[in-house]
């Protein structure tokens, strides 16, 4: 008799939940304005793995690339814990932390948001910088989001719609639970992106379905959505401080 294949990964996800920044961490980190001080502080927290190797002199582009690389590694690790039919949908979550960056691009084109998402460094401050970055992004995980980006449509909705195409035909009950995670994810990420809540507070929306369905395919999406909230907050703090540092030095 085959056991439940979701028990082992569910237990591991529960263990990882304890390795997050809490509300006090976010409040303290948000008050730090200096990039080096911020990184030094992060090195003393559960977020150490995201920033190890960076310093106050690091380029914002390097920080973006490091965060994307490490998120990709972690997401792939978690995807491999689950049955193969679910892996494509799980891998799609690695784009979540950068919806905030794409949203900024919609409201303020030409500010360099797309340049930092490009897979290789691009010459900045040129008239065609956004066009050059878009050309590269068409060959990346972000490609399904680019039509919504160009049309000024809701990026969270576009993300969710593409996520649906990657589901391996779950039954109706599971579809309902997954859709609930999607709705909660959209609300939580919008709140963090707009600066209305810190990631620890916003993640409360997603902790409930994670705990309720930890031994089902719902769990990796709730967990990775929570991790994406943390990374959205982290990258905003880190990149903004690094950009300020380099701008002040210019």
């Amino acid at each position: 008799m085959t056991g439940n294949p979701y028990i082992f990964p569910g237990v591991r996800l529960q263990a990882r939940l304890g390795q997050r920044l809490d509300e006090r961490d976010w409040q303290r980190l948000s008050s730090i304005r200096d990039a080096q001080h911020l990184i030094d502080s992060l090195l003393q927290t559960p977020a150490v793995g995201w920033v190890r190797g960076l310093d106050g002199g690091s380029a914002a582009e390097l920080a973006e690339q490091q965060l994307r690389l490490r998120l990709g590694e972690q997401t792939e690790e978690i995807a491999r814990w689950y049955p193969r039919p679910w892996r494509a949908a799980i891998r799609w979550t690695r784009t979540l932390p950068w919806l905030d960056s794409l949203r900024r691009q919609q409201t303020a084109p030409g500010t360099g948001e797309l340049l930092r998402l490009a897979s290789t460094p691009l010459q900045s401050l040129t008239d065609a910088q956004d066009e050059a970055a878009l050309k590269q992004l068409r060959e990346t995980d972000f490609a399904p989001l680019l039509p919504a980006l160009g049309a000024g449509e809701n990026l969270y909705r576009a993300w969710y719609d593409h996520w649906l195409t990657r589901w391996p035909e779950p039954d109706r009950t599971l579809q309902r639970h997954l859709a609930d995670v999607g709705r909660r994810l959209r609300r939580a990420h919008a709140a963090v992106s707009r600066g209305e809540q810190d990631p620890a507070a916003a993640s409360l929306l997603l902790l409930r379905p994670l705990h309720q369905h930890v031994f089902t395919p719902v769990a990796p999406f709730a967990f990775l959505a929570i991790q994406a909230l943390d990374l959205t907050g982290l990258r905003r703090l880190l990149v903004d401080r690094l950009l300020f540092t380099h701008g002040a030095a210019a």
Side-chain angles (χ1 to χ4, degrees):
M1 181 176 178
T2 303
N4 182 347
Y6 304 106
I7 292 178
F8 168 73
V11 170
R12 298 192 72 173
L13 292 181
Q14 286 179 315
R16 289 198 177 185
L17 270 181
Q19 302 169 14
R20 298 180 59 226
L21 299 173
D22 60 25
E23 289 190 63
R24 287 177 298 179
D25 290 324
W26 286 110
Q27 290 171 2
R28 178 173 55 83
L29 294 168
S30 296
S31 69
I32 299 173
R33 300 303 173 201
D34 177 72
Q36 185 62 59
H37 185 191
L38 175 65
I39 292 170
D40 289 342
S41 298
L42 285 166
L43 290 172
Q44 307 304 316
T45 72
V48 56
W50 297 104
V51 298
R52 186 182 288 116
L54 298 175
D55 59 41
S58 298
E61 291 82 0
L62 176 63
E64 290 275 21
Q65 290 170 14
Q66 176 163 309
L67 293 175
R68 283 178 61 192
L69 176 63
R70 293 187 178 170
L71 177 64
E73 292 170 347
Q74 288 200 21
T75 305
E76 183 62 25
E77 178 188 14
I78 291 171
R80 290 181 179 276
W81 295 348
Y82 285 87
R84 190 176 299 275
W86 286 102
R87 293 178 186 174
I90 292 172
R91 288 173 179 134
W92 177 236
T93 64
R94 61 191 170 201
T95 57
L96 272 173
W98 282 270
L99 293 186
D100 177 52
S101 191
L102 293 175
R103 185 190 62 81
R104 289 190 187 189
Q105 171 66 22
Q106 279 184 324
T107 57
T111 55
E113 294 290 341
L114 291 184
L115 291 175
R116 291 189 293 277
L117 286 180
S119 57
T120 57
L122 297 172
Q123 184 65 38
S124 60
L125 303 179
T126 66
D127 291 339
Q129 63 177 3
D130 286 347
E131 182 179 346
L134 282 169
K135 184 176 180 180
Q136 282 204 13
L137 291 176
R138 291 188 188 103
E139 307 301 322
T140 70
D141 289 342
F142 297 103
L145 297 171
L146 298 184
L149 175 67
E153 297 172 354
N154 188 291
L155 290 163
Y156 290 93
R157 182 71 209 184
W159 184 94
Y160 179 81
D161 288 345
H162 188 71
W163 181 48
L164 295 181
T165 70
R166 296 189 170 206
W167 290 3
E169 300 184 3
D171 62 42
R172 289 187 179 182
T173 299
L174 189 51
Q175 285 183 36
R176 188 169 64 253
H177 294 324
L178 288 167
D180 179 57
V181 168
R183 286 190 294 270
R184 290 168 181 266
L185 178 159
R186 182 175 173 180
R187 288 164 53 197
H189 278 264
V192 171
S193 181
R194 292 193 295 260
E196 296 170 356
Q197 289 185 305
D198 65 49
S203 69
L204 294 176
L205 274 171
L206 290 152
L207 284 171
R208 182 177 179 181
L210 175 56
H211 291 315
Q212 286 182 329
H213 308 293
V214 69
F215 300 132
T216 78
V218 173
F221 300 109
F223 175 84
L224 288 165
I226 290 169
Q227 179 173 265
L229 282 174
D230 291 344
L231 199 53
T232 297
L234 176 60
R235 67 163 294 279
R236 176 171 279 198
L237 283 177
L238 183 59
V239 170
D240 285 356
R241 302 305 186 270
L242 289 172
L243 287 173
F244 178 81
T245 297
H246 287 282

